[in-house]
Every structure is written in structure tokens, then in C-alpha cells.
Amino acid sequence: MKLYYYIDTGHRVGLDRLRRSAPVIRALEALGADVTMLTNDFRAGEYAKEQFGIRRYVSVDVIRNIANIATPADAVVLDADGVGRSLIEDMAAYYRRFVRVSDDPHDVPAAGELLVSSTREGEGIFRADIVDPRYFREVPHTLGDLYFWGDDDYERRLLGLAEAFEDLDITLLEGYYFFFQYGGELRSKFAAVEENEAYDELLKGASRFITSSPQSALEALAAGSNPLYIHKETTRPFWREKLSAYGIPALDRFDRDSIVSALDTAGGYERERLKPDIAGTVAEKMAESMRL
């Protein structure tokens, strides 16, 4: 039995799901599973290979096309929200084993599936906030204050909001899918602009890591980088409450005075609630459910 692990990725949705799925895939491989990562686009697979050591990946443009690769005898993990209920139930019935990873606070498991949820628990549900163990190895925080919008900005929305950061001595960390020369357009609003290749180094070494990516906020919390979260309109609203529960200051708009106030306020971070071994624990739960 082969295992296919589908992750919703791309220049419109970013790489948050890839960042949390990659350590689970590595842990599944360590358990002996034969795993192929499935992403929406080739570039996401390249990033997974270069940054996370993922060995096999295939591009699948839509979820229904997983059936062009996987057979009914195989297992499928699906990390994607917004999937119709009928399709979920069809997949759970079609594949030998089926697991989903979801952020939807109203989601429930289909018959016979394990649901790994970042927002709820219950029968057939394993609750977990997955962060790569690499971010729990704390380093000196000497790189100043940084801002990371996320990996995607297809509509160039940050350009219209960046005045909130002007003259605050904050460095911009570019997203993986940012347009060519987009950082140059944003340079006048930030103290400096760093390319995405430095993501790990800058996230772990930042004095304060300001971000509009929920996954990056959790990674910065694990790294001890004093995260500050600024909510984007396109991100589901439950993330503000969820991240606030970890003691992460969560702003609901790009407002200069609010950013300055949050930067001057000591956070009551609850870093200990994140578990360095959670990716391995999730992999074990998946393996048990799929009888690997």
C-alpha cells in the first residue's frame, strides 16, 4: 500500500499547509511508510525538496485528480479546507485508508476516517498544532524586528497596507511566491527586504517576528521569537482567537499605532503548549489509523 499526502498549496493560498505537513511526512517515512507528496504546483514540491528534504512529490492541480495516481488499495492524507462534503465521503469510501488535516472549527470526520484538527477534538478527531521540530532549537535573537506577510500576495495587497510599517525599522521577509521585483516596490516602506531563502534563519533569529501567516506565528512562538500576528481579511477569523490563546498579540488590522503599541508590550507567550515531538505523534496516529 502506498501513501499519497495531498497539500493545498500555491500562489493564491501560500505554503502554510506545506510547512506543517512536511515534518509529518518525514516522520511517516521514518515509520517505514512509502509516501508521495502531492501539491497543487511544481514550485511547492521544489520548495519541499530543498527546504524539508522531501524525496518524492507530484503536482496535482485539483483534488479529484488524485484518483489518476492513487488506487483504491492506497492510503490518502488530505490537508485542505473548503472541500465539499460529498467529495470527502466519496474519498473516504474509495481509498483503503483516508485521513484529513483540517482547520475548520465545524468539521467532523466522515465514516471510517481520522480527522487531525487544529481547532477541535472529539470522537474520531485528534487535535494538534503541528510545528516542525527545527523551530524549537532556540538561537540568539539578534536580527531585529521582521515582518512576513506570507508566501502569497497575488493581488499585491501588502503594497496598499505597507505604510503602517514605514519608519518603524522593520525588515520585510519576502514570500516564496512574491512577484519579481515586488520587494523593490515595497522597499521604501521597510528598513530592508530579505529574500525568502533566509526564512528559517530570520524567523529563528528575529527579536520580534511580525507575521500575517498563522503557521509562521506558531513557528516563531516555538523559536522564542516573540511573534506578533496581524490578521489579513482573507484569513479565516478564528485564527485571531486561536493565536491569542497562545499569548500571541493578534491585531485585526494594519494600523501603525496598534503595531507600535504591540511591539512595546511584553507578550505572555505560552510556548510550552507547543510540543517539539508533535509531528511524530501525528504521524504515529495516522499510521495507526491507516494500519501502516
Side-chain angles (χ1 to χ4, degrees):
M1 178 176 65
K2 296 181 178 180
L3 171 57
Y4 294 90
Y5 201 121
Y6 178 91
I7 308 163
D8 193 16
T9 58
H11 63 275
R12 291 185 181 274
V13 297
L15 296 175
D16 274 25
R17 293 177 181 278
L18 187 148
R19 296 184 192 282
R20 75 176 176 195
S21 296
V24 178
I25 291 174
R26 293 200 310 268
L28 285 165
E29 290 179 333
L31 293 172
D34 181 8
V35 188
T36 298
M37 173 187 282
L38 305 179
T39 61
N40 298 76
D41 69 306
F42 181 79
R43 286 191 65 193
E46 284 291 291
Y47 186 88
K49 178 181 178 180
E50 295 168 1
Q51 300 297 323
F52 295 99
I54 299 300
R55 294 182 296 174
R56 287 200 306 275
Y57 59 91
V58 176
S59 298
V60 177
D61 53 354
V62 295
I63 290 173
R64 287 191 179 276
N65 287 347
I66 296 174
N68 295 337
I69 301 171
T71 73
D74 294 323
V76 170
V77 177
L78 184 69
D79 189 343
D81 278 338
V83 183
R85 193 67 192 175
S86 61
L87 178 56
I88 290 171
E89 292 175 353
D90 287 348
M91 294 180 74
Y94 181 75
Y95 295 108
R96 182 177 178 183
R97 300 286 182 263
F98 186 64
V99 173
R100 272 190 309 127
V101 184
S102 173
D103 297 317
D104 187 343
H106 305 293
D107 213 342
V108 294
E113 78 162 349
L114 170 68
L115 180 66
V116 178
S117 173
S118 66
T119 56
R120 60 172 310 185
E121 52 194 347
E123 186 176 355
I125 305 173
F126 180 70
R127 184 167 184 170
D129 284 322
I130 305 167
V131 176
D132 194 304
R134 73 174 74 185
Y135 297 112
F136 291 86
R137 296 188 288 272
E138 191 167 349
V139 301
H141 299 284
T142 59
L143 301 181
D145 296 337
L146 293 109
Y147 174 68
F148 177 67
W149 165 273
D151 286 291
D152 62 306
D153 192 11
Y154 190 77
E155 293 83 12
R156 299 180 185 245
R157 284 174 288 136
L158 178 56
L159 197 58
L161 300 167
E163 287 187 4
F165 299 97
E166 198 166 5
D167 299 324
L168 293 184
D169 196 26
I170 293 172
T171 295
L172 172 68
L173 173 59
E174 287 189 309
Y176 182 66
Y177 289 106
F178 271 24
F179 294 92
F180 182 63
Q181 295 185 339
Y182 188 36
E185 295 179 59
L186 292 162
R187 192 173 299 277
S188 64
K189 309 299 182 184
F190 293 89
V193 177
E194 296 284 351
E195 294 183 355
N196 186 263
E197 286 78 359
Y199 177 90
D200 273 10
E201 175 188 357
L202 295 176
L203 182 145
K204 291 188 287 188
S207 304
R208 295 292 302 265
F209 192 82
I210 310 162
T211 182
S212 298
S213 156
Q215 183 64 25
S216 294
L218 292 174
E219 291 170 355
L221 177 63
S225 297
N226 303 308
L228 165 62
Y229 175 71
I230 306 178
H231 191 73
K232 295 187 287 192
E233 290 183 356
T234 53
T235 302
R236 298 183 68 173
F238 70 81
W239 279 110
R240 289 197 304 270
E241 180 179 353
K242 178 178 174 59
L243 294 173
S244 294
Y246 279 101
I248 298 174
L251 306 183
D252 60 5
R253 64 188 185 279
F254 287 77
D255 175 74
R256 180 188 180 86
D257 291 341
S258 298
I259 294 171
V260 171
S261 177
L263 289 173
D264 289 340
T265 302
Y269 297 107
E270 297 187 26
R271 182 190 184 197
E272 68 282 354
R273 290 179 55 197
L274 293 175
K275 305 303 180 185
D277 58 350
I278 188 62
T281 302
V282 170
E284 290 172 358
K285 290 289 184 181
M286 288 182 176
E288 179 183 349
S289 174
M290 294 183 287
R291 302 173 191 173
L292 298 178

